[in-house]
Amino acid sequence: MNITPISLTGGFDPAVEPPGPLDRFGRRINYLRISLTDVCNLRCVYCMPEHMTFRPRHELMSDQELLTITRIMASLGVDKIRLTGGEPTVRPNLVEIVRSIARLPGLRDLAMTTNGLLLPQLAEPLARAGLTRLNISLDTLDAAKFKRITRWGDLDTVWAGVEAAEAAGLRPLKINSVVTRGFNEDEVASLARLTLERDWEVRFIEVMPFGGEADFAQSAVVSSAETRQRIEDELGPLYEIPGYDGRDPARPYRLAGARGSIGFISTITEPFCAGCNRMRLTADGTLRLCLLRDGELDLLTPLRDGMDEATLTQHILQAIYDKPWGHGLPDGAIPQSRIMSQIGG
Ligand code: SAM
Ligand code: SF4
């Protein structure tokens, strides 16, 4: 690999600019999403096959390896971290991992995306360990549809998890809803209605194709425009909320009189590459600079082979600098190397 020396701070003056190294397009990359495991206790139809083979434990980062890489990232100016999976709550030692990451200097935000099933027992210890926010995935409020989408999930348990999260102070909550044709496109108004009473942000996500699961996603995609129209037809107009942060993939809207907000993540119909400030660390220790492009940098092998931290840091900075712009879905280039559960969303 050809390594161009880059300033460890990406050239920013911490006194006047937000932290995080720059890529070659001038985007500041301050947000790391870490997949803690590829294992999950559900099998959502758009995410993974029912009979899934997971990676052997020794191929995944140990707690120590995970913390070493995360500490390097924080030293570069990463100030926002999201834990994901697979299902992050099934990772052994989760509370200890959260506690260690939360102590990293400069970290401003430590969030998690979860299916919520284990939150009844974990929300409180996670909040005490330093977790700041939660996104809970919920595609329907109908128990039978929930079982069909997740293959065996129990909606009441997720709902108990939502309540445990609120009671633990992990709020305001974000709800992630992937909209898939034939499964829940007729549920979007019910989900949007939640924002009338609750100060949550409900985000509707266009389903994306990955590897072996691509056929399903391609036949099931529902555009954000259609989802929005369905919501407005049933609940009235959506009003744009001023002050949108261009780095957030979802521009926020509100129903008249609502406490919460509604967002649309339109990766397929309206890619948001210009504001992208994120990178992903997979559970087996590779750095992925674009969700929808297969290019990755293996960090775990060099770390295990004894590469010194300064050299590893230069590799990371080079990969960040080379972060791609634009995905290839319109040209039929579907990411093949991993499915969503192996990246983390
Ligand atoms: N298991 C956790 C959960 O479901 O929240 C975290 C991992 S999951 C891969 C992260 C997010 O990706 C979830 O909100 C999930 O609904 C979403 N997701 C999974 N497969 C997707 C796909 N093919 N297209 C769009 N979103 C997807
Ligand atoms: Fe598991 Fe999350 Fe994928 Fe559903 S979306 S199968 S809960 S990793």
Side-chain angles (χ1 to χ4, degrees), residues 230-241:
R230 282 176 179 272
I231 293 169
E232 293 195 312
D233 286 349
E234 221 169 296
L235 302 174
L238 281 166
Y239 299 97
E240 198 171 321
I241 301 175

Side-chain angles (χ1 to χ4, degrees), residues 3-55:
I3 302 173
T4 312
I6 304 170
S7 140
L8 282 188
T9 58
F12 74 92
D13 175 351
V16 293
E17 279 193 60
L22 288 170
D23 76 355
R24 68 203 148 113
F25 300 106
R27 296 174 295 186
R28 210 167 273 292
I29 313 305
N30 68 322
Y31 179 13
L32 177 67
R33 299 171 66 100
I34 305 174
S35 172
L36 293 181
T37 174
D38 61 334
V39 175
C40 188
N41 45 7
L42 293 179
R43 297 286 185 279
C44 301
V45 287
Y46 46 74
C47 182
M48 62 164 101
E50 182 165 6
H51 302 288
M52 179 74 188
T53 307
F54 298 109
R55 283 180 198 274

